[in-house]
Amino acid sequence: MTIDERGLLQLWLPHQPEPVASYPAGVGSVGGLACTVVEQRPVAVLSSGGRVGLVDLLTGLPADDTTTDFTQDALHVAVSPPNTSTRSIIAVQDLSTEGRVNILDLNPAPTGDGPTAGSDGRSGSKAPVYLDADIVTVAGRQVIAVIGDDATLRLHDVSDGRQSGPPLTAPP
Amino acid sequence: MRTPYGVRLRCLTLGNRPVGISATPGPFAALYLDDGSHLPPPDQGPQRAALAGLACDASGPTKIVVLSDQWGSMIAWDLQTMRMLGHRPSKKPGSNACLAVTALEGRTTILSASRKGKLRRWETNLTAHAAPIAAHNGPITAINTLDIDGRPTAVTVGADGLTGSWTCTLACAADQSCAILPWSTRY
């Protein structure tokens, strides 16, 4: 699945030189693109500006739309795998835009703050800027592992964005 | 100490336990994510420049971590013994800027992509690589691996605007040297 700068969403088979479907997504300046299954229908998840939109890949029609609380563009999106019980979008800004992350349910309203630099809540300490992240299963739960510029790792539950456990200190 | 540049994090499962692997301009560090305990530190290895690529894999016979720096030098470690498997010095900036690791026909295999559009396959000791594939006209900006219909496939994205998928079949000679068969699709 690809999307170009004109907002044309195209579906491809790995060994076929021509797209199998082309849909105008009606957006420009797409930052991130991912795909998943919602209610047994394949959808594309794309970010444009501070919004995240869903496009039904069977019809090419907009399926849903939700917003981040970012003041600048959401540059990347990732989604939970289709076979998980909790289906979330992870929308990410990069270092130049504070390195923040929103976790959004695949319903319109945001459900969690996610691992958000600047909202650490510890009085008197500067919250870390998150530099990289990966998804991993810990004790049967999917979590986002993030590393900050303070050399700590934090784990956030994919389903609600809550931090699980204290920050982990990477070995020196 | 704040480390604002060149920090990467990758996660994998090692012996049924989740492990986070972080890399900075120094050697990599690994910790178990279920209790925060640290894995032993790896062999130091030679001095490196700023971090460029990080890849790791525990699905193949060799549990491996491989790093590259901005000069294209690569270092690989065995994640179980923390011993250095190999070091490939380079003075060609961006020559191995993106890394991936996959298991090909039972062999742990390193793939590197360069800013000149070349895709290379390496043995885990980094002593030799197969003839590079001219994958893109210009820098390769990302590489990842996945199975498509049960076949290990490398996917590359280039600054030329193309996405490539590369079937990772090994053609092994009697001396066990292997090459990727460069069957590909670019779109």
Side-chain angles (χ1 to χ4, degrees):
Chain A
M1 182 171 59
T2 61
I3 190 161
D4 68 15
E5 58 190 10
R6 301 165 297 170
L8 182 64
L9 184 68
Q10 294 187 302
L11 307 182
W12 307 77
L13 291 173
H15 308 308
Q16 193 166 307
E18 297 296 325
V20 296
S22 298
Y23 303 127
V27 296
S29 182
V30 174
L33 177 65
C35 58
T36 188
V37 175
V38 176
E39 297 176 343
Q40 299 181 331
R41 295 184 74 82
V43 297
V45 180
L46 50 94
S47 65
S48 180
R51 301 189 69 82
V52 175
L54 274 62
V55 176
D56 187 321
L57 291 177
L58 296 180
T59 64
L61 298 174
D64 211 337
D65 188 66
T66 187
T67 56
T68 68
D69 67 357
F70 298 160
T71 56
Q72 299 185 49
D73 293 353
L75 298 179
H76 308 282
V77 291
V79 292
S80 303
N83 58 354
T84 52
S85 57
T86 54
R87 294 190 298 269
S88 303
I89 303 167
I90 304 165
V92 186
Q93 295 180 298
D94 70 9
L95 186 59
S96 65
T97 51
E98 301 178 352
R100 295 183 347 108
V101 171
N102 269 189
I103 296 178
L104 308 165
D105 196 304
L106 286 175
N107 294 312
T111 58
D113 288 335
T116 303
S119 62
D120 192 311
R122 293 174 299 167
S123 60
S125 64
K126 187 177 187 310
V129 172
Y130 293 137
L131 300 175
D132 202 1
D134 201 0
I135 294 180
V136 66
T137 300
V138 177
R141 293 182 303 113
Q142 276 200 314
V143 300
I144 310 166
V146 293
I147 187 167
D149 64 343
D150 58 353
T152 61
L153 274 76
R154 288 169 168 79
L155 305 180
H156 291 262
D157 198 299
V158 165
S159 63
D160 58 10
R162 292 175 189 268
Q163 183 174 326
S164 51
L168 306 174
T169 305
Chain B
M1 183 179 70
R2 303 239 157 185
T3 53
Y5 303 110
V7 176
R8 298 282 187 277
L9 173 68
R10 293 292 178 269
C11 299
L12 51 72
T13 300
L14 182 67
N16 293 324
R17 296 185 68 185
V19 172
I21 295 172
S22 63
T24 65
F28 78 91
L31 73 164
Y32 289 109
L33 297 175
D34 50 5
D35 64 4
S37 61
H38 296 172
L39 279 72
D43 285 348
Q44 277 292 106
Q47 186 78 21
R48 291 183 300 110
L51 179 69
L54 164 65
C56 53
D57 183 76
S59 65
T62 305
K63 320 306 179 192
I64 191 171
V65 176
V66 57
L67 305 179
S68 64
D69 70 17
Q70 291 186 337
W71 286 97
S73 296
M74 296 190 294
I75 309 176
W77 288 269
D78 186 313
L79 190 53
Q80 291 181 304
T81 65
M82 294 298 182
R83 302 293 300 273
M84 195 170 71
L85 293 170
H87 172 228
R88 181 81 177 188
S90 170
K91 287 294 182 185
K92 297 177 181 174
S95 58
N96 297 297
C98 304
L99 299 172
V101 185
T102 189
L104 289 186
E105 300 174 15
R107 295 168 67 133
T108 299
T109 298
I110 299 167
L111 301 174
S112 74
S114 79
R115 293 192 61 80
K116 290 189 175 180
K118 300 288 178 56
L119 179 64
R120 291 179 170 85
R121 189 195 72 81
W122 301 81
E123 301 291 339
T124 54
N125 59 12
L126 298 172
T127 55
H129 66 78
I133 297 168
H136 291 268
N137 294 318
I140 297 174
T141 54
I143 179 172
N144 211 330
T145 58
L146 75 167
D147 276 8
I148 295 179
D149 299 332
R151 291 179 302 181
T153 303
V155 178
T156 56
V157 177
D160 56 3
L162 298 176
T163 300
S165 69
W166 308 87
T167 302
C168 299
T169 304
L170 291 179
C172 294
D175 64 357
Q176 296 298 301
S177 62
C178 299
I180 298 174
L181 293 182
W183 192 94
S184 71
T185 301
R186 282 181 288 183
Y187 40 85

